[in-house]
């Protein structure tokens, strides 16, 4: 139970990790903007402060003759802007909105203030300006002056951060949801559910990883299915000869030598088929091992100079000798290129293609084997007029151990290695193989390999 809960918590933790990381970034952005704003707010005011003290001096000049209104104006400045203002006239305090009032200027500073506003030395952000129309009067202004747009800026910043925080939810979900889905599929597949797939259509790296996982899962499922089919087919092929051997032994023990000899002849045929079966399985294993070598050498071919016409003609002769009841038409068109190939493996290809054509066509249906030169390549074709294949079976035709349902219904035997071996052998020679088929219309298999002079 705990294991199941733990599995379901993993996706949620992933989402919150992504989302909280986004919020952390937003917090860092807000902190940085706050630090910049604080630095700007507490920075030396400069010209804006000088202009403000100049305005205050002008306003004091306007209200110089009305002490009551001047006092109200200074209080309003203190309440609105937080600025501390003290007005001196001939060394005495005329008005102030702070207690105690700011200290007066020195005689040298009084002489200087008459020319222009300035920042008072050794005082914390204090500026002085002369009052117009009142000789000997001046204004002292202290404190930082917040920008009128600061509140609007702070409100705007808060709104932006809130919008980003809300918008991060679908963004975090968009990032985490494909990973959660892929994680569920991987865990299910690892737990034994071979049908588990991510089936993501996402773009980017996550979609590519999901697609790679689905393809890997398909291959593993097909491999396991092929192994089961191999065991089932090999077991089926072994039952008949084992049963005949048991009967022959029983008859021999009873003294019925004539019937024993007849069974022994059938057993010899069965053993030959078993030998072919074992040879196919071993060859498939050798091809798999060779294809997986790190050296990249591929299939080890025993190449030699091969007469293509003789190779094709001898394949037809072997088929006619083994199956005299079947009609085989041989069509060799013109001169065929010589091959630099492994003759034993190419013979295996031709024999497998002809034997498949025999198995999957009626006894009276003819089989055609044709060969021709295609530039510097040898092109071979095997055509039958048999049961044909469905489109779904064509995609798996060259898969090891695959047998279509139609072939099983005919009881043709075999374990489905012939065409897989043929494809690997042809490709190992630098060639290609393809098939055309339709139910009830027969099958046409073509392959071509480069000639000895091909580059």
């Amino acid at each position: 139970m705990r294991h199941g809960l733990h599995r379901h918590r993993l996706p949620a933790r992933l989402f919150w990790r992504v989302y909280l990381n986004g919020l952390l970034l937003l917090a860092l952005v807000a902190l940085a903007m706050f630090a910049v704003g604080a630095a700007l707010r507490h920075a030396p005011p400069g010209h804006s402060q000088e202009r403000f003290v100049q305005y205050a001096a002008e306003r004091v000049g306007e209200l110089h003759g009305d002490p009551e209104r001047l006092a109200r104006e200074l209080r309003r400045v203190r309440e609105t802007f937080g600025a501390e203002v003290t007005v001196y006239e001939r060394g005495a305090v005329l008005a102030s909105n702070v207690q105690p009032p700011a200290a007066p200027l020195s005689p040298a500073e009084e002489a200087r203030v008459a020319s222009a506003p300035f920042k008072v030395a050794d005082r914390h952000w204090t500026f002085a300006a002369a009052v117009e129309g009142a000789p000997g009067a001046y204004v002292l202004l202290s404190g930082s002056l917040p920008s009128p747009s600061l509140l609007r800026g702070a409100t705007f910043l808060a709104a932006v951060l809130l919008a980003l925080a809300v918008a991060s939810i679908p963004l975090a979900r968009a990032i985490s949801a494909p990973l959660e889905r892929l994680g569920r599929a991987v865990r299910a597949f690892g737990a034994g559910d071979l049908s588990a797939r991510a089936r993501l259509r996402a773009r980017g790296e996550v979609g590519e990883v999901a697609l790679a996982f689905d393809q890997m899962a398909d291959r593993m499922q097909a491999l396991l299915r092929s192994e089961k089919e191999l065991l089932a087919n090999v077991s089926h092929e072994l039952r008949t000869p084992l049963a005949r051997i048991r009967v022959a032994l029983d008859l021999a023990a009873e003294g019925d030598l004539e019937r024993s000899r007849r069974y022994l002849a059938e057993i010899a045929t069965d053993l030959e088929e078993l030998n072919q079966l074992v040879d196919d399985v071993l060859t498939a294993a050798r091809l798999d091992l060779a294809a997986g070598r790190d050296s990249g050498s591929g299939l080890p071919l025993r190449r030699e100079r091969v007469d293509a016409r003789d190779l094709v003609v001898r394949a037809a002769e072997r088929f006619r000798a083994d199956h005299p009841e079947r009609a085989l038409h041989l069509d060799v068109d013109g001169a065929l290129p010589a091959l630099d190939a492994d003759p034993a493996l190419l013979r295996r290809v031709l024999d497998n293609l002809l034997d498949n054509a025999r198995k999957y066509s009626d006894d009276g249906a003819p089989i055609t084997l044709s060969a021709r030169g295609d530039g510097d390549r040898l092109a071979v074709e095997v055509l039958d007029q048999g049961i044909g294949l469905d489109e779904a079976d064509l995609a798996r035709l060259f898969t090891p151990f695959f047998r279509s349902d139609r072939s099983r219904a005919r009881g043709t035997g075999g374990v489905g290695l012939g065409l897989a071996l043929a494809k690997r052998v042809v490709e190992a020679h630098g060639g290609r193989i393809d098939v055309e088929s339709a139910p009830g219309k027969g099958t046409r298999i073509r392959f071509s390999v480069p000639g000895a002079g091909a580059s």
Side-chain angles (χ1 to χ4, degrees):
M1 191 64 163
R2 291 182 179 177
H3 179 68
L5 289 175
H6 177 69
R7 287 171 57 188
H8 288 294
R9 287 173 183 167
L10 286 178
R13 289 213 304 265
L14 175 62
F15 167 78
W16 284 112
R17 283 200 301 270
V18 174
Y19 183 62
L20 292 177
N21 282 338
L23 290 183
L24 177 60
L25 292 177
L26 292 178
L28 292 176
V29 171
L31 183 61
M33 296 182 70
F34 175 79
V36 172
L40 291 176
R41 186 177 61 189
H42 292 89
H47 294 291
S48 61
Q49 199 90 343
E50 291 178 0
R51 286 196 298 270
F52 188 79
V53 74
Q54 181 71 42
Y55 169 78
E58 293 174 357
R59 185 65 175 156
V60 169
E62 295 174 358
L63 303 175
H64 180 265
D66 191 344
E68 186 176 348
R69 289 184 60 192
L70 177 59
R72 288 200 304 269
E73 182 72 11
L74 294 184
R75 286 196 299 270
R76 187 179 66 83
V77 169
R78 175 69 180 272
E79 293 170 357
T80 304
F81 301 104
E84 300 175 355
V85 181
T86 300
V87 181
Y88 278 90
E89 184 175 16
R90 302 187 185 280
V93 176
L94 179 63
S96 179
N97 64 5
V98 61
Q99 292 298 328
L105 297 177
S106 65
E109 290 173 333
E110 286 188 24
R112 178 183 174 187
V113 76
S115 60
F118 66 93
K119 182 180 181 302
V120 181
D122 300 327
R123 298 198 192 185
H124 186 64
W125 295 345
T126 299
F127 286 75
V131 176
E132 294 184 5
Y138 59 89
V139 174
L140 294 176
L141 186 146
S142 302
S144 61
L145 296 179
S147 170
S149 62
L150 181 60
L151 181 60
R152 293 197 299 270
T155 304
F156 174 75
L157 176 61
V160 169
L161 293 177
L162 179 61
L164 290 175
V166 174
S168 296
I169 294 178
L171 176 62
R173 176 60 61 186
I175 295 174
S176 63
L179 295 176
E180 294 170 8
R181 186 171 176 178
L182 178 59
R184 287 195 298 269
V186 171
R187 289 193 297 273
F189 191 84
D193 182 6
L194 300 183
S195 64
R197 300 291 186 274
R199 305 191 191 286
L200 286 177
R201 297 296 179 266
R203 296 180 179 180
E205 290 78 1
V206 175
E208 293 176 0
V209 171
L211 178 61
F213 167 77
D214 287 349
Q215 293 174 345
M216 178 201 70
D218 289 340
R219 289 192 295 270
M220 292 186 66
Q221 188 175 25
L223 178 60
L224 293 175
R225 182 172 57 245
S226 298
E227 290 180 354
K228 292 179 180 178
E229 290 176 350
L230 173 63
L231 292 175
N233 293 334
V234 170
S235 300
H236 175 75
E237 296 294 327
L238 288 174
R239 291 181 64 182
T240 300
L242 290 176
R244 287 177 177 171
I245 291 173
R246 184 180 299 108
V247 171
L249 291 175
D250 291 342
L251 292 174
E254 294 173 1
D256 192 343
L257 298 180
E258 182 178 351
R259 294 182 63 190
S260 296
R261 291 191 184 95
R262 186 169 66 253
Y263 271 97
L264 287 173
E266 295 175 353
I267 289 171
T269 302
D270 291 337
L271 290 177
E272 180 61 29
E273 293 179 354
L274 286 177
N275 183 66
Q276 182 65 34
L277 169 63
V278 173
D279 192 25
D280 285 347
V281 173
L282 292 176
T283 302
R286 183 166 67 94
L287 291 174
D288 285 337
L289 290 174
R293 290 177 178 172
D294 293 336
S295 63
S297 60
L299 177 67
L301 301 178
R302 300 179 178 88
R303 293 182 180 271
E304 60 182 69
R305 193 77 169 186
V306 178
D307 186 333
R309 177 181 290 272
D310 182 67
L311 182 72
V312 174
V313 170
R314 288 184 179 275
E317 292 174 350
R318 284 193 302 274
F319 180 83
R320 288 166 176 163
D322 293 338
H323 309 285
E325 75 284 358
R326 298 303 302 268
L328 174 64
H329 299 319
L330 179 62
D331 181 13
V332 179
D333 184 13
L336 303 181
L339 304 176
D340 181 22
D342 188 323
L345 290 178
L346 287 184
R347 282 196 297 268
R348 175 74 66 85
V349 172
L350 290 170
D351 292 345
N352 279 334
L353 297 184
L354 290 173
D355 196 47
N356 277 343
R358 175 189 65 83
K359 289 179 180 179
Y360 303 134
S361 60
D362 295 330
D363 292 342
I367 300 171
T368 301
L369 171 61
S370 60
R372 60 184 177 83
D374 183 10
D376 55 359
R377 302 175 69 88
L378 170 67
V380 179
E381 179 180 289
V382 176
L383 172 66
D384 66 62
Q385 300 178 16
I387 60 175
L389 293 165
D390 296 324
E391 184 176 354
D393 291 336
L394 286 176
R396 298 186 58 201
L397 187 61
F398 295 105
T399 302
F401 314 121
F402 170 72
R403 294 177 63 210
S404 68
D405 292 335
R406 295 165 61 84
S407 68
R408 293 178 193 276
R410 292 175 57 88
T412 53
V415 294
L417 277 174
L419 289 178
L421 292 176
K423 177 179 174 63
R424 296 185 185 184
V425 169
V426 169
E427 291 179 349
H429 283 84
R432 58 181 179 271
I433 186 169
D434 58 77
V435 58
E436 295 178 4
S437 186
K441 297 183 179 180
T443 302
R444 182 192 307 271
I445 298 182
R446 305 184 186 91
F447 76 88
S448 66
V449 292
S455 56

